[in-house]
Amino acid sequence: MYQYDSLLLAPGPTTVPRQILESMNQPMTGHRTSEFSQIIHNASRDLQTIFGTDHPVAILTSSGTSALEAAMVNITNPDDHIVIIVSGAFGDRFRKIASAYPFNAHIFEVEWGNGIDLEAFETYLKSLKVDVTAVFTQFCETSTSVKHPIHELGRMVHQINPDIYFVVDGVSIIGAVDVDMERDNIDVLVAGSQKAIMLPPGAAFVAYNDRAKTRFGEVTTSRFYLDLNKYITSLQDDSTPFTPAVSLIRGIQTYCDLISEEQFENTIKRHELCRNAVRESIKALDIDLLVEDQFASPTVTAFVPKKEEVKKIKDELLNRFNITIAGGQQHLKGTILRVGHMGQVSPNDMLQFISALEIILSDIRGESVLGKGVSKFQEVVNQYV
Ligand SMILES: Cc1ncc(COP(=O)(O)O)c(C=O)c1O
């Protein structure tokens, strides 16, 4: 028997709020009915605030990777040159997608854990002696917990050449961050359902501007299920081209209702508070953070315990306290731990994590650190409320 309720603090999937679960549990409805038309109409439009766009957001029945692939194959023609910023496992995902198509991908590598160096990227982009169609990047690179300076990057790409499309993977940050596609010069912005948008996995989102929409209609790259023109055309009739995840789309409506009740700017602040409190507490426990403050994501934090502490912390959080966090990916496996703080999380949830971490560390280190992280956490919270 567990003494503690389960606390899911992985960087996705995240806890699904009770109201969303209940709305997803409604009796099934046909997807070619007026009832469903109303649901998809509301969902695709209500999401606009979250994505910072004035176009209805396309909703795909598939995981986040499908939206990455859709963005790439609808923007890129065969033989086009594209630039992919690879700063972790999900930049690498973009690279792998590109390698499945006849595209020329130029990779700008960023050391894992670092944010993009804007000057270095500017020099790189200007040095390419080819016409670049698009630049692809993560907003938050979930594998390292870096938030890239998307606004500055978008402005720079636009200044270098306004014809270049700027495509942003926001899978692990949209719903927790201020974004405005026009202000930030983003042409295509994708996300997934199971992170800050706090739905179960299974839906992916593509937001686009006018320029991108026109481009989708011109590109000749072979595609069928991921042809975004189909989704956008169907949306004009409040419909979807294929059988959609009806229950998830009901859930989106409820998600948007919850956010409008909280008010999105408060949702953003809540995520920032959780990040700041978690980071300061982890520092107070003498554990290194992987990412500098200026690049710290509001949705996930990567920390670097001593090598021999890594497995024990993750296992004991789960086995003793019923708290799930995540390990590192690829070469960071066994080196870092990642705690998610996105979606339905409150500072109190994160405080439980810090308090459990203190108990575990005190055992491992053979000396008490009780209260060190918690009091720091309280200090940070106190500045906000
Ligand atoms: C930034 C980012 N991009 C893409 C993906 C892939 O999404 P999915 O696993 O839903 O296909 C993830 C998943 O964690 C992610 O964090």
Side-chain angles (χ1 to χ4, degrees), residues 113-223:
N114 284 355
I116 187 161
D117 176 337
L118 292 166
E119 269 180 41
F121 185 69
E122 182 172 9
T123 308
Y124 174 81
L125 193 55
K126 285 180 172 165
S127 75
L128 292 175
K129 299 282 172 268
V130 290
D131 282 337
V132 172
T133 300
V135 169
F136 294 81
T137 187
Q138 271 57 51
F139 200 147
C140 167
E141 174 47 76
T142 327
S143 60
T144 62
S145 77
V146 161
K147 173 181 167 238
H148 289 298
I150 287 300
H151 172 71
E152 291 76 6
L153 192 55
R155 188 175 51 199
M156 178 217 288
V157 170
H158 189 76
Q159 275 169 359
I160 292 176
N161 180 354
D163 291 339
I164 296 178
Y165 294 92
F166 186 44
V167 180
V168 176
D169 166 5
V171 167
S172 60
I173 200 166
I174 292 303
V177 78
D178 172 37
V179 66
D180 180 322
M181 290 182 63
E182 194 176 333
R183 178 197 69 198
D184 302 334
N185 290 293
I186 302 174
D187 295 290
V188 184
L189 176 60
V190 306
S193 55
Q194 76 275 22
K195 310 263 181 183
I197 298 181
M198 56 194 188
L199 293 167
F205 309 105
V206 184
Y208 45 86
N209 60 11
D210 278 328
R211 202 165 86 90
K213 187 175 156 193
T214 306
R215 174 79 179 173
F216 298 161
E218 295 165 353
V219 160
T220 60
T221 297
S222 281
R223 60 221 198 261

Side-chain angles (χ1 to χ4, degrees), residues 41-346:
H41 177 93
N42 293 346
S44 59
R45 278 152 186 87
D46 289 351
L47 283 173
Q48 289 176 201
T49 314
I50 312 294
F51 284 80
T53 173
D54 48 14
H55 289 285
V57 175
I59 303 170
L60 280 57
T61 294
S62 38
S63 82
T65 304
S66 73
L68 270 61
E69 183 159 348
M72 192 174 281
V73 302
N74 284 273
I75 280 287
T76 317
N77 271 323
D79 300 325
D80 275 2
H81 291 266
I82 56 175
V83 170
I84 301 173
I85 296 168
V86 177
S87 62
F90 295 102
D92 196 44
R93 180 80 46 95
F94 262 145
R95 187 184 61 74
K96 286 181 179 143
I97 295 169
S99 70
Y101 290 90
F103 306 148
N104 297 300
H106 303 263
I107 308 299
F108 182 78
E109 300 268 2
V110 177
E111 194 181 329
W112 289 38
N114 284 355
I116 187 161
D117 176 337
L118 292 166
E119 269 180 41
F121 185 69
E122 182 172 9
T123 308
Y124 174 81
L125 193 55
K126 285 180 172 165
S127 75
L128 292 175
K129 299 282 172 268
V130 290
D131 282 337
V132 172
T133 300
V135 169
F136 294 81
T137 187
Q138 271 57 51
F139 200 147
C140 167
E141 174 47 76
T142 327
S143 60
T144 62
S145 77
V146 161
K147 173 181 167 238
H148 289 298
I150 287 300
H151 172 71
E152 291 76 6
L153 192 55
R155 188 175 51 199
M156 178 217 288
V157 170
H158 189 76
Q159 275 169 359
I160 292 176
N161 180 354
D163 291 339
I164 296 178
Y165 294 92
F166 186 44
V167 180
V168 176
D169 166 5
V171 167
S172 60
I173 200 166
I174 292 303
V177 78
D178 172 37
V179 66
D180 180 322
M181 290 182 63
E182 194 176 333
R183 178 197 69 198
D184 302 334
N185 290 293
I186 302 174
D187 295 290
V188 184
L189 176 60
V190 306
S193 55
Q194 76 275 22
K195 310 263 181 183
I197 298 181
M198 56 194 188
L199 293 167
F205 309 105
V206 184
Y208 45 86
N209 60 11
D210 278 328
R211 202 165 86 90
K213 187 175 156 193
T214 306
R215 174 79 179 173
F216 298 161
E218 295 165 353
V219 160
T220 60
T221 297
S222 281
R223 60 221 198 261
F224 181 74
Y225 193 74
L226 295 181
D227 181 351
L228 291 172
N229 298 294
K230 292 187 172 78
Y231 292 84
I232 294 170
T233 307
S234 292
L235 268 185
Q236 285 160 9
D237 298 326
D238 294 327
S239 180
T240 55
F242 311 108
T243 310
V246 173
S247 310
L248 281 168
I249 298 172
R250 276 193 201 282
I252 294 169
Q253 257 199 285
T254 309
Y255 159 72
C256 293
D257 290 346
L258 289 174
I259 298 301
S260 82
E261 213 174 288
E262 182 178 27
Q263 297 184 356
F264 192 36
E265 59 271 26
N266 293 332
T267 310
I268 293 168
K269 278 194 208 130
R270 174 167 54 80
H271 282 85
E272 287 171 356
L273 165 55
C274 287
R275 172 197 58 199
N276 296 350
V278 164
R279 285 177 66 84
E280 290 309 314
S281 307
I282 290 179
K283 285 184 208 165
L285 291 170
D286 297 320
I287 301 180
D288 288 337
L289 296 165
L290 183 68
V291 175
E292 282 172 39
D293 287 349
Q294 61 164 323
F295 295 119
S297 171
T299 52
V300 53
T301 293
F303 55 102
V304 197
K306 294 202 179 72
K307 196 132 185 122
E308 62 278 11
E309 294 175 352
V310 171
K311 187 175 177 330
K312 197 145 193 195
I313 292 174
K314 182 163 177 276
D315 288 352
E316 295 218 351
L317 279 169
L318 185 61
N319 299 335
R320 288 176 66 186
F321 299 99
N322 213 358
I323 297 175
T324 302
I325 64 165
Q329 290 173 282
Q330 299 190 17
H331 68 273
L332 291 181
K333 204 173 174 158
T335 308
I336 63 163
L337 292 171
R338 292 174 302 145
V339 60
H341 30 83
M342 60 180 126
Q344 196 189 40
V345 282
S346 74

